[in-house]
Amino acid sequence: RQLHREFLRAGANIMQTFTFYASDDKLENRGNKLSYTGAQINEAACDLAREVANEGDALVAGGVSQTPSYLSCKSGTEVKAIFKKQLDVFTRKNVDFHIAEYFEHVEEAVWAVEVLKETGKPVAASLCIGPEGDMHGVSPGECAVRLIKAGAQIVGVNCHFDPLTCVKTVKMMKEGVEKAGLKAHYMVQPLAFHTPDCNCQGFIDLPEFPFGLEPRILTRWDMHKYAREAYNAGIRFIGGCCGFEPYHIRAVAEELAPERGFLPAASEKHGLWGAGLEMHTKPWVRARARRDYWESLKPASGRPLCASLSSPDSWGVTRGDAELMQQKEATSKDQLKPLFDRSKTH
Amino acid sequence: RQLHREFLRAGANIMQTFTFYASDDKLENRGNKLSYTGAQINEAACDLAREVANEGDALVAGGVSQTPSYLSCKSGTEVKAIFKKQLDVFTRKNVDFHIAEYFEHVEEAVWAVEVLKETGKPVAASLCIGPEGDMHGVSPGECAVRLIKAGAQIVGVNCHFDPLTCVKTVKMMKEGVEKAGLKAHYMVQPLAFHTPDCNCQGFIDLPEFPFGLEPRILTRWDMHKYAREAYNAGIRFIGGCCGFEPYHIRAVAEELAPERGFLPAASEKHGLWGAGLEMHTKPWVRARARRDYWESLKPASGRPLCASLSSPDSWGVTRGDAELMQQKEATSKDQLKPLFDRSKTH
Amino acid sequence: RQLHREFLRAGANIMQTFTFYASDDKLENRGNKLSYTGAQINEAACDLAREVANEGDALVAGGVSQTPSYLSCKSGTEVKAIFKKQLDVFTRKNVDFHIAEYFEHVEEAVWAVEVLKETGKPVAASLCIGPEGDMHGVSPGECAVRLIKAGAQIVGVNCHFDPLTCVKTVKMMKEGVEKAGLKAHYMVQPLAFHTPDCNCQGFIDLPEFPFGLEPRILTRWDMHKYAREAYNAGIRFIGGCCGFEPYHIRAVAEELAPERGFLPAASEKHGLWGAGLEMHTKPWVRARARRDYWESLKPASGRPLCASLSSPDSWGVTRGDAELMQQKEATSKDQLKPLFDRSKTH
Amino acid sequence: RQLHREFLRAGANIMQTFTFYASDDKLENRGNKLSYTGAQINEAACDLAREVANEGDALVAGGVSQTPSYLSCKSGTEVKAIFKKQLDVFTRKNVDFHIAEYFEHVEEAVWAVEVLKETGKPVAASLCIGPEGDMHGVSPGECAVRLIKAGAQIVGVNCHFDPLTCVKTVKMMKEGVEKAGLKAHYMVQPLAFHTPDCNCQGFIDLPEFPFGLEPRILTRWDMHKYAREAYNAGIRFIGGCCGFEPYHIRAVAEELAPERGFLPAASEKHGLWGAGLEMHTKPWVRARARRDYWESLKPASGRPLCASLSSPDSWGVTRGDAELMQQKEATSKDQLKPLFDRSKTH
């Protein structure tokens, strides 16, 4: 609730239900212990999002994402049944629209869209892919075309890559869509991490994922740049994914204040472009109270023993590969051993 | 309230009142607009800290810090009167002990200790200095001796430098104290930023201060190392300052769980040393579910156009220099212009 | 002479005449003061190369390169006349074969090949382009096809990019050639500098060019890797360009000793893969006398205030742009001023 | 001969005989195979140096350096006998003065000075130490005092550290000498590698030593800065050690041309501060023909997967430690194995 509230105050006007990856097959995967059913979790998430949305002028979006069942080569019928169970909760809780997000394979995203559109509410579809396309090599443009044909009104990408890479990918989607004579709205919800070194699998493959990503976190000034680039690319659903904190969204909202016509509530806490530093006791810090200082700053890492880029793990396996079969049981020591041996220590 | 609560759940057992720099002369400095009196702010801060402390087994510490009046060369009597006003609130609200923290000049910290000790409650004194000593060149060892002689039971450093630099500085304090035949407890509350490139003024001088520090943020694994080093140095009040988020404190608490005898409440949300990754869908991420992976990782910055270290601004002015005289009025454009001209764009 | 000799001893079996860019229009460009005619320089270069080639088992190759006249939009007839003047010297001095090298525009390289082939001696053609193709956007594959059709027996790239980028570009050439049903031999003569940050113009655009490139210099171990990759790509004319010192060529020759059947003369000066360190007085240096140590080393720059990559100047002008018109007169202060103003300080 | 000649043309006016480490005990150490006696090598080196010195206005300096015998705990008498054998050659060949250089232990350097001064010719003494002092912990100031008292007229440091570290160390020597009421001339011959990450043992301990140091090589602009700093520190014997190429010495000579009154011969090959770029065909390169461009450039490494600093090997052993006993026999596989095991792969 507090998270929703902080993002609302930072300028967000869509509250996404915290239902990410909350399908039953995921909740039961690899020994995860459950105190609640998937439906219970999803219902509580809808209530929280709606409660805070009502504190402001925000919509509630119910989201589904890719499933371990798809990775394990289950059929379209089986996978769709999983989405349907989640959708039933969203319908009961009357969310405003639906998002099929975080799909690595457009085939599964199409299945999700086909299920979600049945309620008649708007459907957004967002893949976690980069310029190289989905895990089966389908290009961003072709992915977007398939999603629109399946019934999505909004298409785009989320997670896995940094803002500029995501904007570039959505541009490729837009080109593909326009070339096909179709129309759509566009969305982008990137990481708040710099990931120039990613391969097609995104930040999952980076050795720092998920517990050593701190040096890659974007500054608020990076966010200004991202928001402007996304807007200029014709994207109008501009948000964030892993790594975004409320102050990042606030920077996006501040950059786009001229277009939106208002500043977010949380802007009352500080001055734009570091203006509050005019009150600092030290004169050399007051000297930083200006836009060009922050726009041109190239921040140091403070980590001289670390490199600037990493070599991604590149196992190159995806749906259809035996290594990706999921299981209900906890991963055993015998299963972990060969993984540890194969893995590099970075 | 939520911040206190998250730190409590992360393992903190001291709730510091959010009264940092909340003296009247600071609140009225350089055009800051006030909706509340200093006393009102300090009272509310005490209530919040006590409310959450009561939810667990925590103490409440009331804190005072350095004043613009000292920088502006006001007398000891004047500066002490400011501390006294803050202390009156703490006494009324019955905090458990006092901290004089974030002092760049040991002289002013001694004055604060002399005021705080009058209530008979324990007094901790913490300077924002590094191995080179205070802004007037007094060494860490000598600073500690003076603070103890003034009446502090706990001495140490906070803010301005990264964890390992702070631990090193407290070690120097301890050596000075022991050499002088005195006894004390020791405290450390460093930044959660890597700052190997700082000069004696600390991170204030880094060009990234305060809005471009993200690449310097410590990982949880850095925190494990810090907690162990601090403990091994004989420090028992081990905390954090700017940049610390609850998960950082949780890592400190987890590292010291054997010594404390318990894990913090928030540890139920994850497995130690990345153990939760055993449930990840991707095998190469499951391969990271082990301590040696994270202990040896050197995380990349993802910023190949940025350097690893910065050249600090080094104006080298301190109390006694005309440039540091404070004022009630907002900084004017005429005052800012020469600062902008003098400042480098980094 | 000494340079030729050192490269010969390092394993080179082609001595390129030091006639790079030695056309009359270049020698008279922008105020360059001449003590010798182009023909005199080219003749002396042929004599030096032949003298040293005779000390071993090496061939002499006479080289021509792109001309300021082409950049200044002179006609094919005019440019060919310049090549013809150089060729006359090579014919008089009886070099073994010809190289048309360092061409940014395939059109001009084709003209050079058409001139050089007239003598009946073998002709090699080498462009200073990367994977993006020539300055007019002609792809590497198409460039290679045009050069072969013009009469070149050997095609490839030289200069402007680092070894791995050059090998990648020649691979693209080879694919284009094979797709067109043609046959050729392949050559590569890359920089001895790491240039991952280059745009299509190559290292000319890097802010470090040409007097700050030191941190980019390849190690001998990088050279082993390059030589193997080039050989595996089917390239058999494997050499170097700017930045190569004799010990770099020696490393190439040592890597390919199994294929060539012999080690170069200069290998008697050291042991392979650091074996000579077995004689070092310090035990921790003797510990480095092994291949896997050097193969896995990621050498630090010792420059913590410098970034790992640069932003290239990207003026994006090429033949046909008024800014590239050349002149006999020295560049005047009035001409330099707007350039200095436009240029970034890096 | 060619090396001497290039350094002479670059502005050097001292030709050091190539007799570095050429004592008999070193030449026979750890299985090194000898085609010549030490005396033969030293004689040839004297002849070469004298021949080239006579081509210009240069002096010849005969040099001795530390011995494996000292490391192996041989007595002063034994070690001095080794120096005496080298000195006999220098005397026979009539060098102009002597240098005792590259000593890690001031004790052994004092022995060398005591031998060298017997001829009555000037003696320079140069240690390969940094600000932390010699391997037995004797401070730079104390080292200098002992060397002067032993008979050296010139004292300083060479090798092991980068230019700015070496200048700093000589400054410490100067302070010590002046404090002791003594007088001397000062010399500095640093590495041409950036080594901010070294410990007291210098670049020997860096993982890149000796075959991966390329990214650390100084630019000519770094050399200008070094020469000026050394001169300003009162040092008048300003040279170079490992990593220096003739163009580095030329930059030193060009920086000090106002003080010396002339430019070196090799300066005719180029314009100062990049002035020759005024003739470049590309306008954005002509824009670099100016001093402030090169002075402010922070050159990128082109190696985004490499860090900027390294962790030195720190075995911390020195004379007196069994691990440093030398031997005539080649290092055996059995001796290497434990070293390989102990060594890190960087």
Side-chain angles (χ1 to χ4, degrees), chain B residues 9-64:
Chain B
R9 284 181 45 81
N13 50 12
I14 295 171
M15 300 287 104
Q16 274 194 257
T17 56
F18 292 141
T19 57
F20 182 77
Y21 245 151
S23 59
D24 283 326
D25 62 335
K26 175 72 180 167
L27 291 167
E28 290 167 4
N29 201 32
R30 293 204 166 267
N32 192 27
K33 282 169 215 138
L34 279 182
S35 317
Y36 302 97
T37 65
Q40 283 177 310
I41 290 170
N42 288 338
E43 282 173 11
C46 289
D47 290 343
L48 280 175
R50 178 60 72 194
E51 177 187 339
V52 179
N54 288 347
E55 295 177 9
D57 181 27
L59 298 172
V60 171
V64 301

Side-chain angles (χ1 to χ4, degrees), chain D residues 22-74:
Chain D
S23 58
D24 283 328
D25 62 335
K26 176 71 179 166
L27 290 167
E28 290 168 5
N29 201 32
R30 293 203 165 269
N32 192 29
K33 282 169 216 138
L34 279 183
S35 317
Y36 302 96
T37 66
Q40 284 176 310
I41 290 170
N42 289 339
E43 283 172 11
C46 290
D47 291 342
L48 279 175
R50 178 60 71 194
E51 175 187 342
V52 179
N54 287 347
E55 296 176 10
D57 180 28
L59 298 172
V60 171
V64 301
S65 34
Q66 65 183 7
T67 63
S69 295
Y70 179 81
L71 264 195
S72 300
C73 300
K74 296 281 173 66

Side-chain angles (χ1 to χ4, degrees), chain B residues 31-337:
Chain B
N32 192 27
K33 282 169 215 138
L34 279 182
S35 317
Y36 302 97
T37 65
Q40 283 177 310
I41 290 170
N42 288 338
E43 282 173 11
C46 289
D47 290 343
L48 280 175
R50 178 60 72 194
E51 177 187 339
V52 179
N54 288 347
E55 295 177 9
D57 181 27
L59 298 172
V60 171
V64 301
S65 34
Q66 65 182 8
T67 64
S69 297
Y70 180 81
L71 263 195
S72 301
C73 299
K74 296 282 173 65
S75 71
T77 311
E78 288 169 298
V79 171
K80 283 181 163 183
I82 290 169
F83 297 137
K84 184 62 173 56
K85 274 184 71 172
Q86 292 175 275
L87 179 62
D88 288 344
V89 175
F90 297 144
T91 303
R92 210 148 59 232
K93 291 295 183 179
N94 198 29
V95 303
D96 298 310
F97 71 104
H98 299 113
I99 306 180
E101 70 171 349
Y102 196 70
F103 286 86
E104 290 174 301
H105 304 83
V106 69
E107 179 183 46
E108 188 185 15
V110 162
W111 295 348
V113 169
E114 288 169 353
V115 172
L116 293 176
K117 76 171 173 187
E118 286 169 17
T119 68
K121 293 191 172 170
V123 175
S126 176
L127 306 178
C128 50
I129 66 170
E132 295 179 55
D134 92 341
M135 290 305 101
H136 286 141
V138 185
S139 73
E142 173 62 18
C143 285
V145 167
R146 291 192 199 173
L147 292 167
I148 294 167
K149 288 186 175 167
Q153 284 87 352
I154 313 172
V155 294
V157 300
N158 77 302
C159 202
H160 272 205
F161 296 93
D162 61 24
L164 299 189
T165 307
C166 284
V167 169
K168 182 181 169 189
T169 309
V170 177
K171 275 187 183 173
M172 294 169 75
M173 286 183 153
K174 195 159 173 263
E175 285 167 18
V177 169
E178 290 170 357
K179 213 168 163 184
L182 297 171
K183 275 199 168 182
H185 299 288
Y186 298 95
M187 69 189 296
V188 65
Q189 294 186 279
L191 302 176
F193 304 115
H194 290 289
T195 63
D197 32 8
C198 277
N199 60 19
C200 68
Q201 179 78 51
F203 83 144
I204 305 289
D205 276 20
L206 291 179
E208 292 85 5
F209 176 84
F211 296 135
L213 290 160
E214 280 82 350
R216 296 174 180 268
I217 299 174
L218 270 78
T219 66
R220 62 197 76 199
W221 321 115
D222 293 327
M223 288 296 169
H224 274 272
K225 194 176 169 199
Y226 151 58
R228 185 52 54 198
E229 297 254 337
Y231 190 88
N232 288 348
I235 305 171
R236 290 297 176 269
F237 184 132
I238 300 171
C241 199
C242 306
F244 270 74
E245 300 201 41
Y247 82 99
H248 288 123
I249 288 295
R250 184 179 65 182
V252 170
E254 288 176 349
E255 175 65 27
L256 298 175
E259 284 78 11
R260 299 177 100 200
F262 63 93
L263 279 170
S267 293
E268 72 182 354
K269 284 172 141 179
H270 77 143
L272 297 184
W273 294 105
L277 296 177
E278 292 179 7
M279 291 189 283
H280 201 276
T281 53
K282 303 290 164 62
W284 61 94
V285 180
R286 292 199 293 276
R288 299 172 192 162
R290 55 199 166 91
R291 178 169 179 165
D292 64 326
Y293 182 88
W294 296 107
E295 274 193 328
S296 61
L297 181 75
K298 291 191 176 161
S301 71
R303 288 168 166 91
L305 294 170
C306 298
S308 62
L309 300 185
S310 290
S311 297
D313 280 339
S314 289
W315 290 27
V317 298
T318 192
R319 195 211 196 207
D321 191 296
E323 294 196 70
L324 285 180
M325 295 303 287
Q326 305 298 316
Q327 63 188 37
K328 276 202 179 183
E329 303 73 37
T331 314
S332 69
K333 294 226 159 124
D334 284 354
Q335 288 178 317
L336 281 172
K337 181 68 171 54

Side-chain angles (χ1 to χ4, degrees), chain A residues 2 6 21 26 29-33 66 68 71 102 104 160 194-197 201 203-222 245 247-248 270 273-275 277-290 292-294 296-310 313 315-317 323-326 331 336 339-340 343-346, chain B residues 2 6 21 26 29-33 66 68 71 102 104 160 194-197 201 203-222 245 247-248 270 273-275 277-290 292-294 296-310 313 315-317 323-326 331 336 339-340 343-346:
Chain A
Q2 187 65 15
E6 290 185 24
Y21 245 150
K26 175 72 180 167
N29 200 32
R30 293 204 165 268
N32 192 29
K33 282 170 215 138
Q66 65 183 7
L71 264 195
Y102 196 69
E104 290 173 301
H160 273 206
H194 289 290
T195 63
D197 34 6
Q201 178 80 51
F203 83 144
I204 304 288
D205 275 21
L206 291 178
E208 292 85 5
F209 175 85
F211 296 135
L213 290 160
E214 281 81 351
R216 297 175 179 266
I217 298 174
L218 270 78
T219 66
R220 61 197 77 198
W221 322 115
D222 293 327
E245 300 202 41
Y247 82 100
H248 288 123
H270 78 143
W273 293 105
L277 297 177
E278 291 180 7
M279 291 190 282
H280 201 275
T281 54
K282 303 290 164 61
W284 62 94
V285 180
R286 292 200 293 278
R288 298 172 193 162
R290 54 198 166 93
D292 65 325
Y293 182 87
W294 297 107
S296 61
L297 180 76
K298 289 189 178 162
S301 71
R303 288 168 165 91
L305 294 171
C306 298
S308 62
L309 300 186
S310 290
D313 280 338
W315 289 27
V317 297
E323 293 196 71
L324 285 179
M325 296 303 287
Q326 305 296 317
T331 316
L336 282 172
L339 300 181
F340 290 172
S343 158
K344 287 180 290 182
T345 297
H346 294 274
Chain B
Q2 187 65 15
E6 289 184 25
Y21 245 151
K26 175 72 180 167
N29 201 32
R30 293 204 166 267
N32 192 27
K33 282 169 215 138
Q66 65 182 8
L71 263 195
Y102 196 70
E104 290 174 301
H160 272 205
H194 290 289
T195 63
D197 32 8
Q201 179 78 51
F203 83 144
I204 305 289
D205 276 20
L206 291 179
E208 292 85 5
F209 176 84
F211 296 135
L213 290 160
E214 280 82 350
R216 296 174 180 268
I217 299 174
L218 270 78
T219 66
R220 62 197 76 199
W221 321 115
D222 293 327
E245 300 201 41
Y247 82 99
H248 288 123
H270 77 143
W273 294 105
L277 296 177
E278 292 179 7
M279 291 189 283
H280 201 276
T281 53
K282 303 290 164 62
W284 61 94
V285 180
R286 292 199 293 276
R288 299 172 192 162
R290 55 199 166 91
D292 64 326
Y293 182 88
W294 296 107
S296 61
L297 181 75
K298 291 191 176 161
S301 71
R303 288 168 166 91
L305 294 170
C306 298
S308 62
L309 300 185
S310 290
D313 280 339
W315 290 27
V317 298
E323 294 196 70
L324 285 180
M325 295 303 287
Q326 305 298 316
T331 314
L336 281 172
L339 300 182
F340 289 171
S343 158
K344 286 180 289 181
T345 297
H346 293 274

